[in-house]
Amino acid sequence: MPPPADIVKVAIEWPGANAQLIEMDQKRPLSSIIREVCDGWSLSGAEQFALRYADGPQLYITEQSRGEIKNGTILRLAISPGRAARQLLERIQSHGIDARLEALKELAKLSADPTFAAEFINMEGIGTLARLVESGTHFGEMLAFTLTAFLELMDHGIVSWDLISLSFIKQIAGYVNQPMVDVSILQRSLAILESMVLNSHSLYHRVAQEITVGQLIGHLQVSNQEIQTYAIALINALFLKAPEDRRQEEYTNPLEQHLTEMASTLAQKHLRSIILNHVIRGNRPIKAEMAHQLYVLQVLTFNLLEERMMTKMDPNDQTQRDIIFELRRIAFDGENDPTGTEKRKAMYTKDYKMLGFTNHVNPAMDFTQTPPGMLALDNMLYLAKVHQDTYIRIVLENSSREDKHECPFGRCAIELTRMLCEILQVGELPNEGCNDYHPMFFTHDRAWEEFFCVCIQLLNKTWKEMRATAEDFNKVMQVVREQITRALAMKPSSLDQLKNKLRGLNYSEILRLRQSERMSQDDFQSPPIIELRERIQPEILELIKQQRFNRLCEGSCFRKLGNRRRQEKFWFCRLSLNHKVLHYGDLDESPQGEVAFELLSDKIPVSDIKSVVTGKDCPHMKEKSALKQNKEVLELAFSVLYDPDETLNFVAPNKYEYCIWTDGLCALLGREMGSDLTRSDLDTLISMEMKLRLLDLENITIPEAPPPVPKEPSSYNFTYNYS
């Protein structure tokens, strides 16, 4: 008979004694259980003790967290968090250097525990650590442990960052500005400054006054990728929190300016080239967190375009109208304008029509819709001035056509700008966990404008390949969008490489790819083929299911959600080889390959799993509903619900792992595998199998017909066995 649901069997350790094996009644008060355990070892003062996990982070167990204890868990009897906090605080303030160092080392480890952190903070522990830092008397390991403990304690959100003193900020900034400082101290200092900026508006201004781009650029040129990551993360934090009016300010010398003036800083060749040469093109592979920070920097840089994207053109603004006049002048050499007002007006109208504007009389009206607003006009002017020959060629070759196949440059440029804003998500906040950065956008000072120039030439080329007319405008734009998104998915490392990718994705290739991708959907619709599909499908589904199980047995690494600091935390989950147990546990770093079952301390019997939920139905997504929930994390989230009312929450690293795990878990529960990946795999494998079997059919040797018999012509019936 199975034990009651409220009883868990655990082992409890105490140094120098044999472990106690007990059946813990979850209905009993925790203090009563601790007293019983202390009595078993003849320990007095049970109120001075607590239980902690023996493995992993070794967190304290409280009445609120005791429900997470599983059968077979190993616990450890330890001094209570309040007593531990008091002892450490006393040792930290002692005069013995060795004792203080050991205390700070232990504090750095314990500070991640929320129960201990609350006790230590209530004893004014954070103030004590801050004073140690401000004194400037701690160096090396002692300072590193102090900063680690401080950051861990503040990260619990118990104390407001606004309480941090200016002298503390100056001391931390001083570590960042020092030319030679210990790596661990520099790493924690950068992380502390980032947290200050992200969590306090007032501290943003103070940090921005202490840190310049010049100091952070120096940290991007080191060989340590973690330091580079922290430096870019701080730049991103300052950029993200900068007031709108300060983001767009211009200045001449970026190395002497403070980070409040972000727009021009990021546009400066020096910073961009440092990131390109020392980070993106460095000799080390880009880790996930660095890729995320580069993606955030890319998003924030493109978001500088949002103001122009959402600005309507004022038809009465002469300065803005002059830009349109300049486009006309460059294209048609406006020096020979007629003198008469009516003649000039008629010529302008004709020229604006040849430029491809929708409103020939007042083309300013074409830029009153947002998006793309004035950003489209900016792109057109950049093309006309920087790539003048290309601009003139595109305009003139289309304005001289009389076969209704001309490509309207103005209309195309406006719609293309809107499309590029959608593809690159201009104006949207960065998504947590997204690593989708494009190296080519770091290769040019005016990457956005150059990207537009490449794409407008692609649009003109595709228009000619499709022999399109004005009625085909939307169809052409759909093809161009597909060409651009497919090319971006290949992650070209430079704009020249992008051009090469786009050359290979001409209209004929897009048609071929579409046809190839439709094969699995359309295929052949004759009754024998449909019957063949129906016969093949069960065995293919079984094959896919086994593949999913094999992947779950290999296991996957997942990142802990909500970790604001750059110190990544991971956990690993894999299915037992007999498909009966899910093993999981925390890891210090991302593994290279499989993780042994012995290293995964927790497990869930598959028989206890009640269901698998995804997206917004997941408990860990509901908990964050008050925040701006980014779409990508929501699409990668899933949870395992198991007895008794427990959950194991996941956020997959990518869409592929999400489909593998949700399909595999559904198959374990005997439910239908319904992800896009399964449907795609099913269609692909069925198509391959059908082609092989149909190929066998084509290779059947038909015997020669015997000599004809008069009045009795022979007939042959061939039946192909589909099984």
Side-chain angles (χ1 to χ4, degrees):
M1 182 176 178
D6 294 320
I7 301 296
V8 288
K9 296 181 179 181
V10 299
I12 302 179
E13 299 176 335
W14 176 254
N18 293 327
Q20 295 186 37
L21 304 178
I22 69 168
E23 293 186 350
M24 181 183 288
D25 186 349
Q26 295 287 44
K27 292 181 179 180
R28 285 179 61 193
L30 199 56
S31 58
S32 173
I33 297 173
I34 294 172
R35 187 176 299 108
E36 183 180 300
V37 172
C38 288
D39 291 342
W41 283 313
S42 302
L43 297 173
S44 60
E47 66 279 358
Q48 296 294 319
F49 292 93
L51 292 176
R52 292 171 60 184
Y53 287 100
D55 301 317
Q58 301 181 7
L59 300 178
Y60 278 101
I61 295 166
T62 64
E63 291 289 354
Q64 292 73 31
S65 64
R66 63 186 296 180
E68 299 174 7
I69 301 175
K70 309 293 188 302
N71 278 315
T73 301
I74 301 176
L75 306 179
R76 178 176 298 156
L77 186 67
I79 60 173
S80 67
R83 184 180 171 191
R86 191 177 305 106
Q87 289 180 357
L88 285 175
L89 198 55
E90 292 172 356
R91 291 163 58 194
I92 287 170
Q93 300 176 82
S94 67
H95 296 293
I97 299 297
D98 292 339
R100 191 184 303 177
L101 177 60
E102 286 302 314
L104 287 169
K105 184 176 181 180
E106 188 175 346
L107 177 63
K109 183 178 179 181
L110 278 174
S111 294
D113 189 301
T115 308
F116 171 85
E119 295 287 349
F120 189 81
I121 290 170
N122 287 337
M123 298 176 187
E124 303 296 331
I126 284 185
T128 301
L129 294 179
R131 286 190 292 273
L132 289 176
V133 174
E134 291 169 11
S135 68
T137 57
H138 286 59
F139 304 97
E141 271 191 316
M142 190 174 293
L143 179 58
F145 288 135
T146 304
L147 296 178
T148 300
F150 177 87
L151 187 58
E152 290 282 2
L153 291 167
M154 291 299 296
D155 206 39
H156 292 291
I158 300 172
V159 178
S160 171
W161 282 91
D162 289 320
L163 300 177
I164 302 302
S165 68
L166 182 58
S167 59
F168 181 85
I169 297 172
K170 287 181 175 293
Q171 191 68 38
I172 297 296
Y175 299 137
V176 173
N177 294 337
Q178 285 180 18
M180 298 293 292
V181 67
D182 185 85
V183 170
S184 57
I185 294 173
L186 176 59
Q187 183 187 81
R188 286 154 181 78
S189 298
L190 288 167
I192 289 172
L193 291 175
E194 181 199 0
S195 292
M196 288 179 182
V197 172
L198 292 176
N199 291 285
S200 171
H201 180 70
S202 61
L203 291 188
Y204 156 76
H205 293 285
R206 294 178 180 179
V207 173
Q209 290 171 358
E210 299 294 330
I211 300 295
T212 65
V213 180
Q215 280 107 19
L216 293 180
I217 281 181
H219 297 312
L220 294 176
Q221 295 174 287
V222 300
S223 58
N224 187 317
Q225 190 173 123
E226 285 195 10
I227 296 298
Q228 293 176 323
T229 304
Y230 279 85
I232 295 180
L234 179 54
I235 291 175
N236 288 338
L238 285 157
F239 190 13
L240 188 64
K241 294 298 180 178
E244 286 295 330
D245 57 333
R246 303 302 297 275
R247 293 186 191 178
Q248 305 290 342
E249 291 183 16
E250 296 185 0
Y251 53 86
T252 55
N253 187 353
L255 297 182
E256 297 302 325
Q257 295 292 330
H258 295 294
L259 277 169
T260 47
E261 298 91 359
M262 295 302 302
S264 298
T265 300
L266 294 178
Q268 290 295 327
K269 180 178 180 179
H270 192 53
L271 177 59
R272 178 194 58 76
S273 62
I274 292 285
I275 293 175
L276 178 66
N277 295 323
H278 291 271
V279 178
I280 296 175
R281 292 179 178 172
N283 295 324
R284 302 167 304 282
I286 300 293
K287 295 181 180 178
E289 186 55 42
M290 172 61 86
H292 174 67
Q293 292 303 329
L294 291 172
Y295 154 77
V296 172
L297 183 60
Q298 172 185 292
V299 171
L300 295 177
T301 305
F302 284 144
N303 282 358
L304 292 171
L305 305 168
E306 183 181 12
E307 182 180 349
R308 295 293 285 174
M309 179 182 77
M310 300 308 295
T311 299
K312 296 181 180 181
M313 185 171 187
D314 182 359
N316 299 317
D317 188 322
Q318 187 59 44
T319 303
Q320 296 179 2
R321 290 165 61 90
D322 286 344
I323 300 176
I324 298 178
F325 293 151
E326 182 69 4
L327 291 175
R328 176 194 165 275
R329 185 195 66 75
I330 294 173
F332 304 116
D333 189 11
E335 296 177 1
N336 299 321
D337 287 354
T339 54
T341 304
E342 291 299 322
K343 289 183 179 180
R344 186 184 300 114
K345 187 175 181 180
M347 175 173 282
Y348 283 3
T349 300
K350 179 183 176 184
D351 289 349
Y352 292 145
K353 181 178 181 181
M354 288 193 293
L355 276 170
F357 289 113
T358 303
N359 191 319
H360 309 149
V361 178
N362 186 6
M365 299 302 296
D366 286 15
F367 301 95
T368 56
Q369 185 177 353
T370 58
M374 290 295 291
L375 185 59
L377 188 59
D378 295 342
N379 286 342
M380 295 165 71
L381 184 63
Y382 181 88
L383 175 68
K385 285 187 169 293
V386 179
H387 300 279
Q388 194 170 112
D389 292 343
T390 300
Y391 168 70
I392 293 173
R393 175 179 56 79
I394 291 174
V395 172
L396 294 185
E397 77 176 17
N398 285 290
S399 63
S400 61
R401 301 188 69 163
E402 298 179 357
D403 56 1
K404 296 183 180 181
H405 290 289
E406 67 276 3
C407 175
F409 169 74
R411 184 184 176 191
C412 287
I414 292 170
E415 186 58 33
L416 177 64
T417 302
R418 179 188 292 109
M419 179 197 297
L420 297 183
C421 289
E422 291 175 358
I423 292 173
L424 297 177
Q425 300 178 325
V426 175
E428 296 187 18
L429 289 175
N431 288 318
E432 183 181 346
C434 181
N435 303 335
D436 190 24
Y437 80 98
H438 296 279
M440 71 174 183
F441 290 130
F442 293 86
T443 63
H444 201 283
D445 299 335
R446 304 294 293 272
W448 165 264
E449 291 86 349
E450 289 294 322
F451 183 47
F452 168 83
C453 293
V454 170
C455 293
I456 193 68
Q457 294 178 72
L458 168 73
L459 197 160
N460 187 59
K461 174 174 169 285
T462 302
W463 186 284
K464 289 188 289 186
E465 290 173 350
M466 295 177 66
R467 291 193 55 78
T469 63
E471 290 77 17
D472 302 316
F473 183 84
N474 290 334
K475 293 180 182 178
V476 175
M477 297 309 298
Q478 289 173 4
V479 172
V480 171
R481 175 186 283 270
E482 188 171 343
Q483 290 171 313
I484 294 170
T485 52
R486 285 182 183 273
L488 287 177
M490 301 178 196
K491 288 289 190 289
S493 60
S494 65
L495 289 164
D496 286 336
Q497 201 173 97
L498 173 68
K499 294 175 186 177
N500 292 332
K501 302 290 185 188
L502 290 172
R503 270 194 286 271
L505 288 168
N506 55 34
Y507 180 52
S508 299
E509 178 64 11
I510 292 296
L511 289 179
R512 189 193 69 78
L513 290 170
R514 285 180 175 179
Q515 180 65 25
S516 175
E517 291 166 1
R518 273 199 301 262
M519 280 291 291
S520 59
Q521 301 171 10
D522 298 340
D523 230 308
F524 311 115
Q525 297 301 318
S526 61
I529 298 299
I530 293 174
E531 181 185 350
L532 176 57
R533 287 181 65 91
E534 291 175 350
R535 292 191 181 189
I536 290 174
Q537 183 161 322
E539 64 181 84
I540 297 297
L541 271 173
E542 183 62 28
L543 181 67
I544 293 173
K545 185 168 74 172
Q546 292 304 319
Q547 187 271 344
R548 300 295 189 261
F549 288 164
N550 291 340
R551 281 289 292 110
L552 264 60
C553 290
E554 293 173 9
S556 298
C557 181
F558 300 92
R559 181 180 168 187
K560 293 249 183 180
L561 188 64
N563 180 26
R564 294 193 307 274
R565 302 194 308 278
R566 303 285 70 76
Q567 186 178 348
E568 292 188 90
K569 295 185 178 180
F570 304 92
W571 66 286
F572 197 89
C573 186
R574 62 182 299 195
L575 179 66
S576 64
L577 299 181
N578 61 5
H579 301 174
K580 292 184 178 180
V581 179
L582 274 179
H583 295 264
Y584 66 97
D586 292 337
L587 301 175
D588 293 330
E589 58 184 19
S590 182
Q592 304 297 322
E594 288 187 7
V595 176
F597 289 111
E598 296 78 20
L599 299 178
L600 304 176
S601 56
D602 299 304
K603 58 185 178 181
I604 302 171
V606 172
S607 58
D608 287 352
I609 298 177
K610 295 188 289 188
S611 64
V612 177
V613 294
T614 61
K616 61 184 179 181
D617 295 327
C618 297
H620 57 315
M621 293 295 105
K622 292 178 181 177
E623 292 169 3
K624 292 178 172 287
S625 59
L627 304 174
K628 176 179 172 61
Q629 188 56 246
N630 72 70
K631 184 179 178 183
E632 292 198 15
V633 171
L634 204 61
E635 290 177 347
L636 297 176
F638 62 99
S639 297
V640 172
L641 309 184
Y642 61 98
D643 291 329
D645 299 325
E646 299 286 345
T647 63
L648 183 62
N649 299 318
F650 299 74
V651 175
N654 50 55
K655 194 68 177 177
Y656 175 79
E657 290 291 335
Y658 170 85
C659 293
I660 288 289
W661 275 86
T662 52
D663 280 343
L665 291 170
C666 287
L668 277 176
L669 301 180
R671 298 174 186 173
E672 182 180 353
M673 299 183 294
S675 75
D676 294 339
L677 180 65
T678 289
R679 288 193 291 270
S680 174
D681 287 351
L682 182 63
D683 289 338
T684 301
L685 292 172
I686 286 179
S687 296
M688 291 172 61
E689 183 67 14
M690 286 174 60
K691 288 173 183 175
L692 288 172
R693 296 194 183 190
L694 291 173
L695 185 62
D696 290 341
L697 177 61
E698 292 173 0
N699 292 335
I700 291 177
T701 302
I702 301 178
E704 293 183 5
V709 178
K711 296 183 182 180
E712 293 184 10
S714 60
S715 60
Y716 297 87
N717 293 321
F718 296 96
T719 302
Y720 178 67
N721 184 2
Y722 292 116
S723 59

